[in-house]
Amino acid sequence: MKLLLCPNPTCDGLVKLEDVECMSCSSQIAFHPPSLTFAEVTGKPLAIDGLSWRACSNREWRCNWLVADESDAARCFSCRLTRKAPDNDDTIALERLADSAVAKRQLLVQLNRLGMPVDPWFEQEGGLGFDLISSISENRQVMIGHANGIVTIDLAESLDDYRERLRVSLGEPYRTMLGHFRHEVGHYYEWILVEQTHWIDEARELFGDERTSYADALQRHYKFGAPANWEESHISEYATMHPWEDFAECFAHYLHITDTVGTSAAAGLELWTRRHDASQPDLAVLPRPHYEVDDLDALLGDWYWLARFFNRVNHAMGKGDLYPFTIRPPVAEKLRFIHRVVNGLPATRVEPTDGFRRRAG
Ligand SMILES: [Zn+2]
Ligand SMILES: [Zn+2]
């Protein structure tokens, strides 16, 4: 993510994507998605790039996005992508929704920066939407997943104890709300950008044939677990379950890696590998905000050193690895495929009232 600055001209504070208030000067701030910048909220409409903007009506639930006056919607683009939400009187679940919406907005900003189309469910059949509901409120297990453009997320997973218990019981090294969003949107993009296009044959060679029975794969996975030596060819045990899960896991990792590398680049980080491994030649790692289609090896090379560095930083704070995964050559080839799909996206147009891309035509 690029560095975000407080919009108050007398303040030099850095702000975070989810902030509604600057921590340095207490200005009320809101995010303008098309320009990826913050503006000060004064209660009056804001003129930005020729359009008039106001705060999302979910600001009381910590949504800090702006919405264009011209759009006739009270809620921002991110909030409108939520198709199902907890009932208005279920304030406990609505708190969980507010937490989870932070991860959703982070996802959307990154998708837009990568040039991914976001055709919303309310404009198009099969468009992207989110059902954000809680296992606790529904009194049943909400299955996290994707179907026909709609991503379902269990809001209960924004509770640390709930999510951590599942993470341990499933033997996963990493489980976060942002990770769920990145994984599930991977299913959506495989569906629209791979399965419905010329990319499908190559995808089947790399990930396997997605037409094999998902129900059988699920049953097998929970009965027998991942095959021995799974880490030689897959990024996680879950990725071995079915070709769809392999793609979605790799897509999530592509977003993890590009966001973390991009954030490092925006901060001007320069890393000397000599300080990590004396047996290696001295090498300056200079992360870039963007890697061209032929630069996947450079991206993964930079990531190799950055991940080792950030793992050490986490250990300095008494935490586990930031990135507890190893990318082996077959996984690198899967990431290369995703990098090519992302860099070869079909033509899109930008909708001025929300700043998001739509597939053209
Ligand atoms: Zn400030
Ligand atoms: Zn909103």
Side-chain angles (χ1 to χ4, degrees), residues 5-8 20 27-32 35 37-42 46-48 53 59 64 66:
L5 302 170
C6 174
N8 176 351
V20 289
S27 294
Q28 293 296 304
I29 57 175
F31 186 71
H32 179 243
S35 63
T37 57
F38 274 90
E40 252 185 287
V41 175
T42 57
L46 301 160
I48 306 172
W53 299 78
R59 194 171 169 87
N64 67 349
L66 290 170

Side-chain angles (χ1 to χ4, degrees), residues 157 161-171 175:
E157 291 231 10
D161 58 343
Y162 187 98
R163 186 187 61 255
E164 192 60 12
R165 192 155 27 89
L166 278 174
R167 185 188 73 74
V168 172
S169 72
L170 295 168
R175 191 176 183 94

